[in-house]
Amino acid sequence: MKPRTATLLCAALLAAAPVHAEHASPAELANNTAAPLVAGREYMVLANHPNNLSVIDLADNTVLKTCALPDAYGPGLLQISPDHRQAWLLNNRFGSIYGVELDSCNVIFSANMSLAADERTKSVLSLAISPDGKEIYTVQNPSRIYVDRYEVQQPRLAVYDTASGLDAKPVRTFPMPRQLSVMQTGADGTLYVAGPDVYKVDVKTGKYEVAMPILNWNRPGYGAPDVLNAWPVQTITREFAFLYTAPKFKDDKQDIASADFVWGIMSIDLRTGAVSVADFAPLTEVYFTGIRSPKNPNHLFTVLNVLRKYDIKEQKLLASADVGHAYYQASVNHDGSRVYLSGTLHDIAVFDAETLEKITTIPLPGGDQATNTAQVFIR
Amino acid sequence: MNNKPIACATLTALALVASAPGDAAERQINVPNLIMERCSICHADDLGRLVRISAQRKTPEGWLMTVVRMQQQHDLGLSDDERRALVKYLADTQGLAPAETEGARYVLERRLNTVENFSSEQFTQMCARCHSGARVALQRRTATEWERLVNFHLSQFPTLEYQALGRDRDWFGIATNEIVPYLAKNFAYGDEQWQKWKQTPRAPVAGEWSLSGHLPGRGDFNAVMSVSQRANDHYALELRGNYADGGALIGQGAAVVYTGYEWRGKVEINGVEMRQVFALKGDILEGRMFVADHDEVGADVLAARQDGGASRVLAVQPSYLKTGTATELSIIGSNFDGELVLPAGIKVEKLLSRTPGRIVIRALADKRALGTHQVKVGAAEGGELAVFDKLDRIEVVPPYAIARVGGNGGPAPKVDARFEALAWAKGPRGEYRVGYVPAKWSVAPFNEDAKRDRDVEFAGSIDAKTGVFTPSFAGPNPLRHLMTNNAGNLAVIAEISAGGKPLTAQGQLIVTVQRWNNPPIP
């Protein structure tokens, strides 16, 4: 199972060779950076090469504005503040976090993940914001750089005050286990961090416990699942969701060779902390992301090389659409009428959520999106 | 002197051998002083003793990668001459004994179609999932050094533990607690073999060498390689010979012998720059010679020293005779002395020429000679000569190969794949190898996916006569489903006619994307 998935994922990632469209000139970017967002309107925000942040008006599927971001691109992972006024980004080759005012494009916050001169620190896709918007969280993976060697250090949860401005330092740090990545906050302020399992973390004390097992799920009749989650989507359904693939054994012998491999979705309800796990399809192709419809959360949209719509309970494929090129992330709008595909290359594809008919393609200023994270919100 | 750190060049462009006679400056450099001056700034302990460097042993390419990394990532200033001198010194003083490279030389020889197979699944998944396992097997380190290498890996490549086959386990814990002891045991610094090798007298190199080889896509060749010493371990080369197809093979260049046996040559043959990666084993040189910027184009080479070396038979070209068909054969060897003796049933119709390294005859075989034989010249015996009356089957060699798209304005050139048809015959004692035979080549979809995606149309084309597959251009192809690259999964089909009956065989070719990271040891 693992090698099979790995091969497919590698192939797909490599297929996304950066192709740069004509970049918007700095003058063009400057013209629209001051365009304010309008209360009540629905937007999508995402980042792409060379280092842009674009706001898309979902009412007419046009790019409202494009901000130029500081330093280097990558991964363009983005979270929207609870008041929908700021975008928070992990960028600069996984090395810095930025806060950007969407109305003005002004950078209001920056923090280098390395906290000392003899440290090299990366945050691997790890960024969340508190429900009150006052704190951001990231898990940092430091290495100490000695004059003639490196020494891997224990990861740490770093808590930043969003009002700290530029060159911010964490207000609290706590030791954490390894291999942590995407995270989201619950309504009560609990921080959920994905790693080998999903942990719930008390951001005041740093204490953590397993909220939802992944590798250690010990699900009867199943082998350990594999989860690739590089897209911490702030879902309209308020869930922290993970697509998994897992071997489903034929019998108690747990023979991997005869097992069926399945796709499923496991998630934590961020309002209640409740956990749900459900298979939805046999594993016949690779998806990078899946997102539930806010209109009918039993309906799931998945994407990589094809867009699919599933009925989770019935484990039934409802509709499919060719996508023209690979996309990594599926998003939905608030009324559940549209599906937006982003990630890789430099466009967003828009589909009718009911029929999966293609509505339009929104070209993005700039180049490849790589593994960015798009977020949809109403200002 | 250019003391600036070098830019991120393709590392294979960094030759271990300077163009003759540009190595004069290299030989003037006092390397111990250079090490004290440049390396010990970071790599000395409180008592001024070298650390890290002194606890590792590796190949010339291994040291080259280390030194270049110091230049690229740690601002080490070195001129090209200084780099070559430093690598030479380190490979000579902290290298590997010949026996320590056995089983892993394919990666030095850049046989990149090798499918590795290690007994430890854990080693394969932990180490050989990103680079060749041979890269590990060609290093010797203390346990502390292996542990530092693990820390280096995760510090340089922090996403290692998140990738598939990383995130399913406690990667760092396993690397530290299981892989480090495994490596320290299996690839220990322990220098018994090395000390023994250091005391072994060095084989002489200068003089004439008789050389035989086989280049897939072109065929057999033989040559005389004249080697003259320019300085200790530095040699000038001249090659004069012929391909079996009648073409001349003429070249010249230079070679450096590292560690007493690691022969690295840079020669221009018929206007094409080639590299030689040979191992010197007494009066024998064995390895591969390949095009410098297309290492998929390369020949197996076996050579024997004429001056002072033994009398040897190295090869018979071609390696087979069909009964009843008079065929010109070249017997390649060294210091031929005495009568050519062929097995019963093979008649020398005519002696066409004879030198101390090459005997050319026209031979005719009958059924008494069916099977495989060695050839004797005086006291020397060797080579392989098969006699057949009917071919039984063929196989595609290599059975599995990789080609890579390239060009199209990008920095990576296309990487070809080269196939040959290896013929077998049946005898009373079972099946025997006949040799490479001309075949008609074609490609077909390997499976249903390849058929649906029209891989045959997009991925490239094979030369029906030579078996050389040339891949298509790099980058997304708007004409393809999902705008995908010109990748493909192809069946490579060889067909010959054996006594009016067609024989076919199939191999597999994966046409894939460019190799962006192409270090001297992949």
Side-chain angles (χ1 to χ4, degrees), chain B residues 417-436:
Chain B
R418 307 191 149 221
F419 296 93
E420 294 188 288
L422 178 61
W424 296 78
K426 262 187 190 156
R429 277 170 297 174
E431 191 178 54
Y432 60 96
R433 181 187 190 275
V434 170
Y436 295 113

Side-chain angles (χ1 to χ4, degrees), chain A residues 2 6 9 14-15 17 19 120 122 124 141 143 147-152 178-181 215 226-228 305 322-326 345, chain B residues 41-43 51-52 74 148 150-152 154-156 158-159 161-162 164-172 476 481-485 513:
Chain A
K2 288 289 160 46
L9 296 185
L14 286 167
V19 174
R120 176 189 295 159
K122 302 289 179 181
V124 180
N141 297 350
S143 278
V147 69
D148 66 346
R149 66 192 167 93
Y150 300 91
E151 189 179 83
V152 174
R178 301 207 68 80
Q179 297 170 302
L180 301 186
S181 60
L215 274 187
D226 184 44
V227 164
L228 171 75
N305 290 323
D322 283 335
V323 288
H325 66 76
L345 298 183
Chain B
I41 294 170
C42 296
H43 294 301
V51 288
R52 300 226 56 185
H74 300 291
R148 287 179 177 177
V150 166
N151 278 266
F152 160 85
L154 200 50
S155 299
Q156 289 281 55
T159 54
E161 57 182 342
Y162 293 86
L165 296 178
R167 62 174 175 261
D168 62 346
R169 67 196 74 189
D170 171 17
W171 192 91
F172 187 58
H481 179 57
L482 293 167
M483 286 172 59
T484 193
N485 285 265
V513 294

